[in-house]
Amino acid sequence: MASQHVSHDDLKYVPLGDQTLVVQFENKISIEINRGVQAFANLISSRKISGIVQTIITFNSLAICYDPVRISFNKLADTIRGLEDQISEDHAIPSKTIHVPVVFGGEYSPDLEEVSARTGLSPEQVIQTLYSKPYYVYMVGFVDGTPYCGDIDERLVLPRRSNPRVKVRKGAVSIATNQTSIYTIESPGGWHLLGWTPMEIFNPYQERPCALVSGDYLQYVPISAGESERWDDQRQREWDREWNS
Amino acid sequence: MEFVKVVKPGFFTTVQDLGRLQYQNLGISTSGAMDGLSLRLANLLVGNDEEDAALEATLIGPKLRFVADGVIAITGGDLSPVLNAIPVPMWKSIRVRQDDELSFGNCVTGCRTYISIAGGIEVPPIMGSRSTYFRGHYGGHEGRALKIGDEIPIGNCRFNLYDIEGRRLQPDAIPDYRKERPIRFIPGPQTDAFTQKSFEWFTSTSYDVTNESDRMGYRLQGQQLEHVNGADIISDFITVGSIQVPASGQPIILMADCQTTGGYTKIGVVISVDLPNVAQKKPRDQIRFEAVDVTYAQKLYAKREKMISGLKLLNRMLSG
């Protein structure tokens, strides 16, 4: 398959303080642009440039943390700029699809009625629309592995709640703007809550703390309330064998 | 020394090292010492590796009892350390004996003090670090601030205590926390998001540190800044020291426990060598900002790292 060229006409190289360089891509959220960020991150990693500590992918920019004693901002910017021409889709890591069990309705979907009223869809339609397709994981950020996934059906697009909740339960499945996410720890939050997953999306004690990483796809799979209440490590292992291996 | 007993926890005392630097791509806060320089110096004074874990106390220090002989050092803000009711010097390694008690008095300068113990604190590392991440309830001692009765495990000291007691820093290695020093920052990445007038205000007026200031960030209050086209951006990476300006026009400096991505414009980022000075600011202190370029900031950083390398060399020579 011919490698697809990734546009990089407008890449900007700017300092974020004295230990991070940010490569800014086109100023919009799109899977194509994010794949370009992914590809550039992997290309840079493959070159083992001395002084780079880590790369962080966000929607439309790539942050590169580095040790300024080993490489200066200007030297790093020049080195990376020299790689621009080689960015291609080939460098993007093949994505995997992670299936996440979700219980919908009743106490698990505190904002379902409101979302239904505001979108003009029935509660069943809202839920079916949400789990009808996989979502691209643009980035994992904010706190503790929070995935930012999209794009959701445009009929479900709503701004964040004007009145954020003080406390949102860990595992809450939520939407806001054209994105969907899962609360990985109990925290305050302003997204609309449409379901709940018993699957642990973030576990700081595991070697791989996050179930989802940028570039993956997220697919919600409806389960019953009873099944979600009985969820345990063994059930999770079975689930992963069936859906996520 | 096997452990240190917490007699009184102080206002907010946590276990910190240099943080989780390798996990920001998974949305993991770095955490770690707010004043990383003081933590590194405290460790090097007692013969530890610079990245070992120590205690970070805030405003009101703890009361600790040592269950065996050991060597400690106290660095950072001056919270009036006292050993068995006798004042003890900071920036120096001190011998402690079994049943000695370390306590603190008034907050004289800064607000965060670091207590290192030869051997280092040996709580289990989580994602490569022993730092407490209070918000996520993991790391450090049971993922929380210290409580009365806690026993903080200490590792084995690889030196003879006699060899490491009484060590002190050269005067020019001791950080200068004087309040009138401006905090230097590198403008951007969203410099264009602010009116030219706002940028001038930001660098010519001073900002108060408000009560809403903690390990996650410092909310400042002063001349309101104006955006050209609103305060929101597509969420991107934020690092410790980033100065976010939301729609209120009042800046927020993000600190050690900050999130990894954010959707507000950033007017600049505090340079690495000045972060310890920000970390030692407390509510009602003032901050004046001064813009510098990245090349200058990296020169200052290299100079400071060279000083620290010298201290590390001393420890290596001692360990033969």
Side-chain angles (χ1 to χ4, degrees):
Chain A
M1 195 171 70
S3 73
Q4 196 188 336
H5 193 68
V6 176
S7 162
H8 52 74
D9 298 338
D10 306 314
L11 297 195
K12 284 198 220 102
Y13 295 75
V14 293
L16 178 73
D18 50 26
Q19 299 194 51
T20 305
L21 178 152
V22 177
V23 188
Q24 295 175 329
F25 286 61
E26 196 183 335
N27 191 28
K28 65 176 187 188
I29 297 179
S30 92
I31 292 178
E32 194 196 346
I33 290 169
N34 188 263
R35 296 285 290 177
V37 177
Q38 299 264 353
F40 204 10
N42 293 325
L43 172 62
I44 290 167
S45 300
S46 72
R47 294 305 160 101
K48 309 246 181 291
I49 298 162
S50 165
I52 292 183
V53 179
Q54 92 167 300
T55 56
I56 297 120
I57 291 157
T58 63
F59 284 111
N60 62 336
S61 70
L62 174 63
I64 302 164
C65 301
Y66 62 99
D67 176 0
V69 173
R70 292 166 67 193
I71 190 164
S72 69
F73 173 80
N74 291 327
K75 179 83 196 304
L76 181 61
D78 286 348
T79 308
I80 293 172
R81 204 178 274 120
L83 298 174
E84 259 185 24
D85 287 340
Q86 300 167 41
I87 311 176
S88 82
E89 271 284 334
D90 293 351
H91 293 110
I93 289 178
S95 13
K96 57 186 192 305
T97 300
I98 302 296
H99 295 78
V100 171
V102 181
V103 49
F104 293 103
E107 60 181 295
Y108 301 100
S109 307
D111 293 331
L112 183 55
E113 272 180 37
E114 191 191 325
V115 170
S116 162
R118 288 175 68 177
T119 58
L121 300 172
S122 71
E124 293 73 26
Q125 283 173 317
V126 169
I127 289 166
Q128 275 170 21
T129 306
L130 184 64
Y131 71 70
S132 67
K133 62 168 184 173
Y135 300 107
Y136 179 73
V137 183
Y138 285 100
M139 67 174 192
V140 172
F142 189 55
V143 294
D144 289 341
T146 303
Y148 290 80
C149 317
D151 298 346
I152 61 172
D153 190 290
E154 58 189 29
R155 290 171 299 169
L156 292 179
V157 172
L158 292 170
R160 268 171 268 189
R161 289 166 57 89
S162 50
N163 203 358
R165 287 186 170 83
V166 177
K167 205 188 263 186
V168 175
R169 185 182 181 189
K170 172 182 168 178
V173 169
S174 62
I175 59 166
T177 65
N178 60 352
Q179 303 282 310
T180 178
S181 185
I182 301 167
Y183 284 82
T184 59
I185 57 171
E186 183 183 285
S187 69
W191 291 38
H192 308 274
L193 312 181
L194 293 183
W196 179 77
T197 178
M199 176 170 162
E200 204 151 48
I201 303 302
F202 169 73
N203 181 342
Y205 304 102
Q206 278 176 357
E207 199 190 330
R208 287 176 45 228
C210 298
L212 294 154
V213 295
S214 51
D216 283 346
Y217 280 87
L218 159 67
Q219 173 72 59
Y220 296 130
V221 180
I223 58 166
S224 70
E227 192 174 7
S228 79
E229 299 299 337
R230 290 191 303 272
W231 206 267
D232 58 14
D233 288 351
Q234 195 194 328
R235 181 70 190 96
Q236 184 65 51
R237 278 193 296 274
E238 286 165 16
W239 178 272
D240 286 338
R241 260 199 305 278
E242 186 183 350
W243 293 98
N244 294 331
S245 58
Chain B
M1 192 171 335
E2 285 168 4
F3 61 88
V4 171
K5 182 112 181 165
V6 178
V7 182
K8 283 182 190 167
F11 171 63
F12 188 79
T13 307
T14 54
V15 175
Q16 299 293 343
D17 58 14
L18 292 178
R20 301 185 172 83
L21 300 175
Q22 305 287 344
Y23 288 83
Q24 294 175 90
N25 58 337
L26 296 180
I28 310 298
S29 175
T30 61
S31 305
M34 291 276 280
D35 176 351
L37 175 61
S38 288
L39 175 96
R40 296 164 80 188
L41 294 173
N43 274 322
L44 293 172
L45 278 168
V46 299
N48 291 349
D49 290 332
E50 58 171 341
E51 62 268 24
D52 281 345
L55 294 178
E56 176 183 279
T58 318
L59 288 164
I60 301 166
K63 186 175 196 177
L64 306 172
R65 184 181 304 136
F66 303 102
V67 300
D69 289 13
V71 170
I72 66 166
I74 301 154
T75 64
D78 183 355
L79 305 187
S80 308
V82 164
L83 191 66
N84 303 330
I86 298 163
V88 283
M90 296 179 60
W91 310 102
K92 185 183 171 189
S93 59
I94 313 162
R95 186 71 187 265
V96 293
R97 316 271 168 189
Q98 187 180 348
D99 293 329
D100 276 359
E101 283 190 345
L102 176 71
S103 58
F104 293 85
N106 292 334
C107 177
V108 181
T109 61
C111 66
R112 287 171 226 278
T113 211
Y114 294 86
I115 306 150
S116 66
I117 299 135
I121 293 175
E122 283 234 309
V123 293
I126 308 294
M127 293 183 286
S129 162
R130 296 185 163 91
S131 288
T132 310
Y133 180 50
F134 185 70
R135 195 176 176 189
H137 310 293
Y138 58 79
H141 188 72
E142 300 175 3
R144 57 167 172 78
L146 301 191
K147 289 200 298 209
I148 290 182
D150 280 344
E151 294 179 346
I152 310 301
I154 306 299
N156 287 325
C157 173
R158 55 196 158 134
F159 299 113
N160 186 326
L161 296 182
Y162 294 105
D163 283 340
I164 48 171
E165 70 171 88
R167 301 166 89 195
R168 55 178 80 233
L169 295 172
Q170 296 293 330
D172 62 350
I174 297 174
D176 172 9
Y177 297 129
R178 272 175 305 160
K179 285 181 180 174
E180 59 273 22
R181 288 186 60 200
I183 298 297
R184 292 164 291 186
F185 74 102
I186 297 166
Q190 284 90 31
T191 329
D192 295 347
F194 299 89
T195 61
Q196 182 59 35
K197 221 163 44 179
S198 283
F199 199 78
E200 283 161 21
W201 285 332
F202 186 64
T203 50
S204 62
T205 63
S206 63
Y207 285 83
D208 294 332
V209 177
T210 70
N211 280 325
E212 285 176 85
S213 298
D214 56 21
R215 285 183 46 88
M216 275 168 61
Y218 287 21
R219 284 178 185 269
L220 307 182
Q221 179 78 42
Q223 175 66 51
Q224 187 181 342
L225 304 176
E226 293 168 351
H227 295 90
V228 178
N229 261 327
D232 294 345
I233 56 166
I234 296 173
S235 281
D236 68 359
F237 180 63
I238 48 183
T239 183
V240 178
S242 297
I243 309 163
Q244 276 187 339
V245 185
S248 68
Q250 299 295 347
I252 301 167
I253 309 180
L254 296 162
M255 298 301 285
D257 281 355
C258 72
Q259 62 219 47
T260 63
T261 58
Y264 296 124
T265 48
K266 293 173 281 297
I267 196 167
V269 181
V270 175
I271 67 173
S272 296
V273 297
D274 281 357
L275 271 177
N277 298 55
V278 178
Q280 295 296 349
K281 299 275 182 199
K282 53 184 173 291
R284 288 184 293 281
D285 282 349
Q286 294 199 318
I287 295 184
R288 202 158 47 76
F289 291 100
E290 183 184 309
V292 297
D293 70 28
V294 64
T295 306
Y296 180 68
Q298 294 188 333
K299 238 178 237 163
L300 296 176
Y301 180 79
K303 192 176 152 202
R304 198 190 72 183
E305 291 307 300
K306 202 172 161 192
M307 180 273 286
I308 291 175
S309 297
L311 293 171
K312 286 197 270 194
L313 190 65
L314 283 178
N315 274 348
R316 274 206 297 278
M317 282 160 60
L318 193 63
S319 63

